[in-house]
Amino acid sequence: MAFEYAKRIKRLPPYLFAEIEKIIREKKAQGIDLISLSIGDPDLPPPRFIIETLKQEAANPKNHNYSFSQGEPDFREAVAGWYKRRFNVDLAQDQVVALLGSKEGIANIARAFINPSDRVLVPDPAYPVYANGSTILSDGKVVPMPLLEENGFRPDLEGIDAKGVKMMFLNYPNNPTAATVDKKFLKQAVDFAEDNNIILCYDNAYSEITYDGYCAPSILEVDGAIDVAVEFHSLSKTFNMTGDRIGFAVGNKQLVSGLTKVKSQIDSGPPVYIQKVAVKALSAYTGEEQPDFLKKNNRILQERRDMLVEALRKIGYECDKPKATFYVWVNCKGDSMRFASKVLDAGVVLAPGIGFGKFGEGYARIAFTQPKESIIEACNRIAAAFR
Ligand SMILES: Cc1ncc(COP(=O)(O)O)c(C=O)c1O
């Protein structure tokens, strides 16, 4: 028997990473040795104190009941405390909601505010969830905002036709381009959202993965942001906890409340013991500065970044050293699928830019989420492929 998919499912484009995973599985089944630099899942472990806290909290039988959809009060308090210390932003408890990873919140926010055919501004290239899991699965209409290299991979806000637009996604430090922004740009974005009555969803998942002294801002640091914006955060990248599924959304009270309403009909909060671990993790920030664990983590990533960029330059691919994220966005001088498949034949998996949107064509994203030795070997293989 075959059942017909809902129209919204049929509208979904294929999910790039599912396709890549399938190719990896097939190649591995054929015994081919592959180095995967395609997916943003850190190879580095969570800090030891996280594992110890997790063991302790998971061993407590009281931590295995359902948790509140909005998140446990101590978790929300810890998030508010972190915002104060890290960004000097004041948040009340009802301006915070716990998420089962930020992806879930990014997808569910549209369910709370998007009606069929509402237009949603989505960066292109971008993390695919804004367009797919969020907008299309809520029957909204995706309006791409090109992120062009000549504009520093920022959307041209002045050139946007905002008619019928209800929501907009922005993400800096950016995946996949690794571009960063300053508060001046964020102020322009907030003004644009205010002037056009648009909900501004700001994805700050990479705010802590930074190099060369760069410190990523929160959109909530900007005047007026609290009237229009909700910011998504995650412990996935900051604490190498991608599989633990814990994140949060903060900001405008009505936006947080809308998201909570949807969530309360779909799931409960993240496991209580994971929220307790998150409290401990966030409290490692005693001031504005990053905790020692993170400094060490970012030093390792920075060393890999430098090595990768220098190796790519030697092979003939010019690219900037990113100030944040663990991605290099390289101009591959042509068809990105062809580039990726040539590299794949040489035993290296990377993400073709076209998978992040039309304006990602001509680029490839390389994640430095593998040990140094693997990155060196991957670069040798890429060099051999293009010799
Ligand atoms: C830009 C961006 N936002 C959000 C996420 C989701 O992270 P998580 O759901 O693990 O919090 C990712 C994951 O790769 C990402 O790249």
Side-chain angles (χ1 to χ4, degrees):
M1 202 143 69
F3 298 102
E4 195 182 354
Y5 284 114
K7 287 197 186 91
R8 68 180 78 86
I9 293 285
K10 291 194 213 164
R11 278 200 296 271
L12 284 176
Y15 189 54
L16 169 80
F17 293 117
E19 303 282 305
I20 291 176
E21 275 163 23
K22 192 167 146 236
I23 297 171
I24 296 175
R25 268 198 310 277
E26 285 166 4
K27 294 253 179 198
K28 283 198 171 150
Q30 294 161 18
I32 298 171
D33 151 51
L34 288 179
I35 302 172
S36 178
L37 304 180
S38 65
I39 297 177
D41 195 354
D43 61 311
L44 295 165
R48 188 143 358 122
F49 78 89
I50 298 267
I51 304 280
E52 291 308 318
T53 311
L54 178 58
K55 279 200 253 176
Q56 234 172 10
E57 298 296 348
N60 183 347
K62 289 196 180 128
N63 289 342
H64 291 269
N65 290 95
Y66 286 123
S67 68
F68 296 117
S69 295
Q70 188 158 7
E72 298 296 301
D74 56 347
F75 172 77
R76 285 182 283 136
E77 199 178 297
V79 170
W82 184 69
Y83 258 78
K84 183 68 186 166
R85 294 191 299 281
R86 170 67 179 82
F87 301 112
N88 198 23
V89 166
D90 290 300
L91 291 172
Q93 287 236 353
D94 57 1
Q95 292 177 301
V96 181
V97 56
L99 301 173
L100 290 141
S102 59
K103 181 178 188 178
E104 173 262 302
I106 290 166
N108 277 326
I109 188 78
R111 274 169 194 75
F113 294 98
I114 294 302
N115 285 316
S117 306
D118 279 345
R119 298 170 82 222
V120 179
L121 292 169
V122 173
D124 181 344
Y127 179 54
V129 181
Y130 314 134
N132 303 345
S134 196
T135 308
I136 293 179
L137 288 185
S138 300
D139 295 326
K141 189 169 182 316
V142 176
V143 180
M145 293 184 289
L147 303 189
L148 304 179
E149 188 160 3
E150 59 262 36
N151 298 334
F153 298 111
R154 289 166 203 183
D156 170 19
L157 296 172
E158 281 170 17
I160 291 173
D161 171 12
K163 204 160 150 255
V165 172
K166 178 92 183 267
M167 183 177 273
M168 142 187 227
F169 284 95
L170 281 179
N171 158 231
Y172 294 98
N174 183 259
N175 173 17
T177 69
T180 53
V181 290
D182 54 17
K183 280 193 232 168
K184 191 168 155 238
F185 171 78
L186 295 184
K187 176 68 180 146
Q188 284 164 4
V190 166
D191 289 347
F192 172 79
E194 248 176 358
D195 293 347
N196 296 289
N197 202 21
I198 291 173
I199 296 167
L200 174 44
C201 298
Y202 194 76
D203 179 356
N204 214 347
Y206 293 91
S207 69
E208 307 312 293
I209 308 299
T210 54
Y211 317 108
D212 306 327
Y214 174 71
C215 181
S218 158
I219 192 120
L220 299 178
E221 290 179 59
V222 168
D223 274 353
I226 202 68
D227 298 328
V228 291
V230 59
E231 179 160 283
F232 294 88
H233 254 291
S234 173
L235 279 85
S236 290
K237 320 286 177 177
T238 309
F239 296 98
N240 298 330
M241 290 171 70
T242 49
D244 293 315
R245 311 312 299 137
I246 180 90
F248 46 93
V250 298
N252 178 276
K253 214 184 276 188
Q254 194 206 344
L255 299 178
V256 167
S257 156
L259 177 54
T260 309
K261 276 190 185 143
V262 171
K263 286 173 56 61
S264 64
Q265 300 296 334
I266 294 177
D267 61 48
S268 298
V272 174
Y273 54 90
I274 296 288
Q275 293 189 55
K276 296 209 162 168
V277 171
V279 169
K280 187 85 179 206
L282 294 173
S283 68
Y285 277 77
T286 50
E288 206 180 312
E289 248 196 60
Q290 292 184 333
D292 288 343
F293 147 75
L294 199 58
K295 284 187 191 153
K296 198 168 144 213
N297 197 74
N298 287 347
R299 268 200 303 274
I300 295 171
L301 292 173
Q302 183 168 336
E303 200 188 329
R304 293 176 182 180
R305 173 201 72 169
D306 292 347
M307 225 175 51
L308 176 62
V309 169
E310 274 144 34
L312 288 169
R313 284 178 183 163
K314 264 193 209 143
I315 303 170
Y317 290 96
E318 225 7 86
C319 49
D320 288 335
K321 278 189 185 169
K323 281 193 283 190
T325 77
F326 34 60
Y327 305 115
V328 166
W329 186 238
V330 56
N331 184 331
C332 65
K333 305 185 211 168
D335 185 305
S336 64
M337 276 307 272
R338 202 170 309 144
F339 178 78
S341 83
K342 189 157 179 190
V343 169
L344 184 61
D345 286 341
V348 180
V349 193
L350 45 73
I354 187 73
F356 299 96
K358 188 171 118 190
F359 291 91
E361 185 51 300
Y363 295 87
R365 192 193 73 178
I366 310 182
F368 37 101
T369 47
Q370 293 284 349
K372 215 160 90 177
E373 301 67 38
S374 304
I375 294 176
I376 294 173
E377 174 58 19
C379 290
N380 290 340
R381 291 182 187 184
I382 297 172
F386 290 98
R387 199 163 285 141

